[in-house]
Amino acid sequence: MLSEKPWRAEGVIQFCLAQIVCLCLGIATVFVLRKFGVHGFQSDEGLGSIMVGTLCLQGAAWPLILFFLRQHGVGWGTAFGIRGPRPGLALFSAVGFFLVVLPVVLLLQWASISALEKLGLPSENQAAVELLTNAHSGWTIVYLGVFAVVIAPVAEEFIFRGMLFPFLKQLGKPGLAWFGASALFALIHLNAPTFVPLFVFALALTWLYEWTDNLLAPITAHALFNAANLAFLLWQIQHPPA
């Protein structure tokens, strides 16, 4: 059972507003640089566009999280489960969770792509996936790898599981906490074929957090999931079908 969190409404609102401002600034930056024809910003798959997009959302979340924790007098070690209840069990549970959930999510993704194709709708890859596929620099792959395995899991798990889920649940809105936060998690990835798989994945991560009462568990499971997807994509790139 998840323990009660000391998150105050004004702190959550301030965090969300600051995150929206950072996102808007990032969009405006990409728009201006694209208008001036700056290299790397000519498409959504350009390295510059990807870097600004990731840094203004998940990247900006890191300092915002530290400020949010300071507002509430909570140490980062406690908030992220390093000093939480049974961190060893949390890590072990995350590995078991990953092994069970990964094939389910991949199956759902395949079903979503098939359904969209049958409906005659586009089933495009996410911009970051397109960039990785067309990457000609090792630094691009390194950046996307660090982002996918470290930056994004920490930021997203704190926002959606660590902050929004307990806050909404403690407001007496468990349905919104479970399904609303999970739907928002899937929506921010801006990709139709992955919406349903990521929604289900988010619900499963929420259950893992609820069960372990340790944010380290969903962070680890999320990082493993992203690492597996990245490794599979790199293998596909290096071994194209004949």
Side-chain angles (χ1 to χ4, degrees):
M1 180 64 70
L2 191 66
S3 59
E4 190 158 336
K5 309 303 176 188
W7 312 146
R8 297 187 297 273
E10 63 270 21
V12 174
I13 293 172
Q14 288 171 3
F15 183 99
C16 293
L17 289 176
Q19 190 74 82
I20 292 171
V21 169
C22 290
L23 181 59
C24 290
L25 288 174
I27 293 173
T29 299
V30 170
F31 176 79
V32 171
L33 293 176
R34 186 171 297 175
K35 283 292 184 180
F36 280 96
V38 178
H39 179 70
F41 292 89
Q42 296 309 298
S43 69
D44 291 338
E45 293 78 29
L47 178 58
S49 300
I50 290 291
M51 289 188 68
V52 172
T54 54
L55 291 176
C56 73
L57 186 60
Q58 291 92 339
W62 279 55
L64 292 176
I65 288 170
L66 294 178
F67 179 77
F68 179 85
L69 294 177
R70 181 173 295 181
Q71 273 185 313
H72 294 84
V74 177
W76 66 270
T78 300
F80 288 103
I82 298 172
R83 299 190 183 94
R86 299 175 294 177
L89 177 62
L91 290 172
F92 180 78
S93 301
V95 174
F97 171 92
F98 161 74
L99 294 174
V100 172
V101 171
L102 178 63
V104 175
V105 175
L106 292 178
L107 180 61
L108 285 172
Q109 184 169 340
W110 172 82
S112 295
I113 292 173
S114 299
L116 288 173
E117 290 176 347
K118 287 181 179 179
L119 292 172
L121 299 174
S123 55
E124 300 172 350
N125 286 330
Q126 297 179 59
V129 174
E130 291 286 349
L131 175 62
L132 184 61
T133 304
N134 300 316
H136 300 293
S137 168
W139 287 110
T140 301
I141 296 175
V142 169
Y143 172 78
L144 290 176
V146 172
F147 169 78
V149 180
V150 179
I151 298 174
V154 172
E156 292 175 5
E157 288 313 306
F158 181 84
I159 294 171
F160 295 102
R161 255 65 64 183
M163 182 181 70
L164 289 179
F165 173 68
F167 174 71
L168 293 171
K169 186 179 178 184
Q170 289 167 195
L171 280 181
K173 301 182 182 298
L176 185 61
W178 278 87
F179 298 102
S182 297
L184 185 59
F185 170 83
L187 277 172
I188 67 164
H189 292 83
L190 301 175
N191 187 247
T194 61
F195 177 81
V196 172
L198 288 178
F199 177 68
V200 173
F201 183 52
L203 287 175
L205 287 170
T206 303
W207 173 85
L208 181 64
Y209 183 41
E210 177 88 37
W211 183 66
T212 60
D213 192 21
N214 192 318
L215 195 60
L216 190 61
I219 288 174
T220 304
H222 193 158
L224 290 172
F225 177 80
N226 285 1
N229 277 283
L230 181 65
F232 180 66
L233 183 59
L234 288 172
W235 184 88
Q236 283 186 310
I237 294 170
Q238 295 173 359
H239 301 84

